[in-house]
Amino acid sequence: MSSTSGLATVRTYDARGAVARAARQLRRAGLRTVAEAVALFRRLARERRAINDTEIAALRSSIRALPALLPAGSSEAEATWLDCRIRFRRQVLSEDPRRFLRWPVLRPMYRRDAPYIAGELAYLKAHRDWASRWRSAVRESAVGDPRPFFDYRRSSGNLLDQAYHVCRFEDVTGVRLSSLDFIFEFGGGYGVLCRLLCELGFQGTFAIFDLPEFGALQRFYLRAHGLPVVSRPAGKGSGLEIVTLSTLDELDALLGPRPPERAAFVALSSLSETPLPLREAVIARLTSFDAFAVSYQPRFCEVDNVAWFGAARMRLGGDVDWSDQPLPQRNGGTRHLFGVRQPRIGKSR
C-alpha cells in the first residue's frame, strides 16, 4: 500500500469515527430532552403532593438559625467547603427548594449523566437481584426535581450511582447493608443513600453526619418521602429512625449508649474530601464498627488519600477483611474500600 492510499484510509476511518461520535452525541441530546420532559411531568403531577409551604418554611428557618460562618483554616479543603456553605445558604433563602437538585452549588454531589453511570446501570441490570430488589429501589421521585437518567428515565444518575456502590459492597462482602442494625453515614449529601437503603428494607437507626446546612436539607428531603427523622433515636428495637448530626459531641452522645449490634460506616466520596483533623477524629470512633463501605479519590487537594486510607485500615483492626480496588467504570480514578469484621458479622445471604 502506498503512503498516499494509507493516508486516505486513515482519513476515511477518522471521518467515520467523527460521524459515529456525532451520532452518539445527537442521540444523547435527544434522550436528555426526553428526560427533561419526564422531569417536567413529575413536577406537575407529584411535586405539590410531596412538598408543602410549611416544609419549605421549616428548611429556611433552620438555615437562618445557623451561626455565622467563620473564616476558613489554612487547608484548601476547608476553603472549598466554606465557599460551598455560603452559596448554599444563599440559594435556600432566595430560590425554590422544590428544585434544589438544579442548583449549581449542589452539582458536585449530584451525578446526573456522567459517562460511567451507563456502565453502573448495566451492572445493576445484569445482577441476579435486579428484578427482585434493585429495579424498584432505584425508582426516582419528584423531590428536588432530579433530571431522569437519559438511558433509564425511571431513575436518576445519582440514585443509580448510589445503588451501584451498595450493590458492589454486597457482591464483594456478601453482607447487605440494609440488613444491619445501625448505619453511620459520613457526608450524606441530600439524603439519597439513606432513602435508597430504606427502600431496600433497612429498619434500624440511620445516622447522617454532615455540615449543618446539609443536615437541614437531608431532613427536608427525607421527610418529603415520609421517612421518620427524629431528634433523638430511641434505640434498638424501635424500628426505622433517622437522625442528622453536625458535631462530634452529638456523634459521641449517639454512639456512647449504643448497645452491641451490627453497625456499618458508610462514606461515599466524602471522608476523602474532608480536612485531616476531622478525618482522624471520625476514624478514632469507628473501632467497634463491623462493616465499612467507602469510596475515595486517590488525591484530594494536598492529601494523598491512598496512603491515608492505607493507614486507616491498620488503625481499624487486623480482624477486618479488606478489599481496596479501583472502580471498573472509572478508569483507575475512584476506588472502593470495603471491609467486614469477622466473625462478628456474618454474610446476609
Side-chain angles (χ1 to χ4, degrees):
M1 178 184 294
S2 68
S3 60
T4 302
S5 61
L7 181 59
T9 300
V10 170
R11 287 174 175 168
T12 300
Y13 285 144
D14 287 345
R16 289 175 179 170
V19 170
R21 287 193 296 274
R24 287 195 297 269
Q25 290 171 356
L26 184 62
R27 175 182 177 273
R28 286 169 68 94
L31 290 172
R32 288 192 187 102
T33 300
V34 174
E36 287 293 6
V38 172
L40 175 61
F41 172 78
R42 286 178 180 166
R43 288 202 305 276
L44 296 175
R46 306 181 198 170
E47 180 184 84
R48 299 209 174 271
R49 292 200 303 270
I51 301 174
N52 58 42
D53 292 340
T54 301
E55 292 165 336
I56 293 174
L59 170 63
R60 288 175 171 161
S61 177
S62 296
I63 296 299
R64 291 191 186 100
L66 295 175
L69 293 169
L70 300 175
S74 58
S75 77
E76 187 178 348
E78 290 174 306
T80 297
W81 282 110
L82 176 64
D83 178 67
C84 178
R85 296 174 71 181
I86 292 171
R87 291 188 292 129
F88 178 75
R89 290 188 182 195
R90 289 173 181 164
Q91 292 200 277
V92 168
L93 299 177
S94 64
E95 300 188 26
D96 186 357
R98 291 184 179 92
R99 303 195 69 196
F100 70 83
L101 286 172
R102 303 304 179 110
W103 296 348
V105 68
L106 296 182
R107 193 67 53 78
M109 70 174 64
Y110 179 56
R111 297 157 180 82
R112 300 198 302 181
D113 54 5
Y116 55 77
I117 294 176
E120 296 178 347
L121 172 61
Y123 184 93
L124 290 168
K125 281 187 166 182
H127 200 274
R128 62 183 177 275
D129 294 333
W130 167 251
S132 62
R133 296 182 71 223
W134 298 106
R135 183 165 56 193
S136 60
V138 300
R139 185 175 178 84
E140 189 55 279
S141 75
V143 178
D145 191 21
R147 184 166 79 187
F149 185 57
F150 69 91
D151 226 8
Y152 189 70
R153 293 186 292 275
R154 293 182 177 181
S155 191
S156 66
N158 200 48
L159 183 53
L160 290 169
D161 184 59
Q162 301 288 314
Y164 171 76
H165 289 301
V166 175
C167 186
R168 282 283 298 167
F169 173 84
E170 292 185 359
D171 289 345
V172 170
T173 67
V175 173
R176 287 185 177 177
L177 286 173
S178 58
S179 73
L180 303 184
D181 306 302
F182 184 95
I183 294 177
F184 166 32
E185 182 185 9
F186 182 88
Y190 57 94
V192 66
L193 178 66
C194 178
R195 177 195 155 212
L196 171 68
L197 287 170
C198 291
E199 290 285 346
L200 289 169
F202 180 73
Q203 285 296 310
T205 300
F206 198 113
I208 309 176
F209 187 101
D210 213 322
L211 296 166
E213 293 83 359
F214 295 109
L217 181 63
Q218 290 152 14
R219 294 190 293 273
F220 174 79
Y221 176 80
L222 294 169
R223 283 171 175 159
H225 287 94
L227 294 172
V229 182
V230 300
S231 57
R232 185 185 299 274
K236 189 174 182 181
S238 302
L240 176 63
E241 296 179 308
I242 302 167
V243 59
T244 62
L245 314 167
S246 297
T247 69
L248 292 173
D249 286 343
E250 290 174 325
L251 179 61
D252 288 339
L254 178 65
L255 296 181
R258 186 176 68 82
E261 53 194 18
R262 299 177 303 161
F265 173 72
V266 181
L268 301 180
S269 297
S270 54
L271 194 65
S272 59
E273 298 180 355
T274 302
L276 290 176
L278 181 54
R279 294 192 199 193
E280 298 292 340
V282 170
I283 287 294
R285 289 162 169 80
L286 301 179
T287 54
S288 65
F289 277 60
D290 309 298
F292 306 88
V294 176
S295 68
Y296 69 94
Q297 310 89 329
R299 291 198 67 84
F300 179 73
C301 296
E302 68 275 16
V303 181
D304 180 349
N305 279 326
V306 175
W308 190 87
F309 279 100
R313 293 199 305 268
M314 300 296 293
R315 293 174 58 186
L316 290 172
D319 57 341
V320 179
D321 292 339
W322 291 107
S323 171
D324 189 341
Q325 53 188 272
L327 275 67
Q329 290 80 10
R330 308 288 181 90
N331 297 320
T334 303
R335 300 183 67 87
H336 271 155
L337 176 63
F338 297 149
V340 173
R341 197 181 302 276
Q342 301 290 355
R344 282 178 13 198
I345 187 169
K347 295 186 176 182
S348 301
R349 21 177 198 143

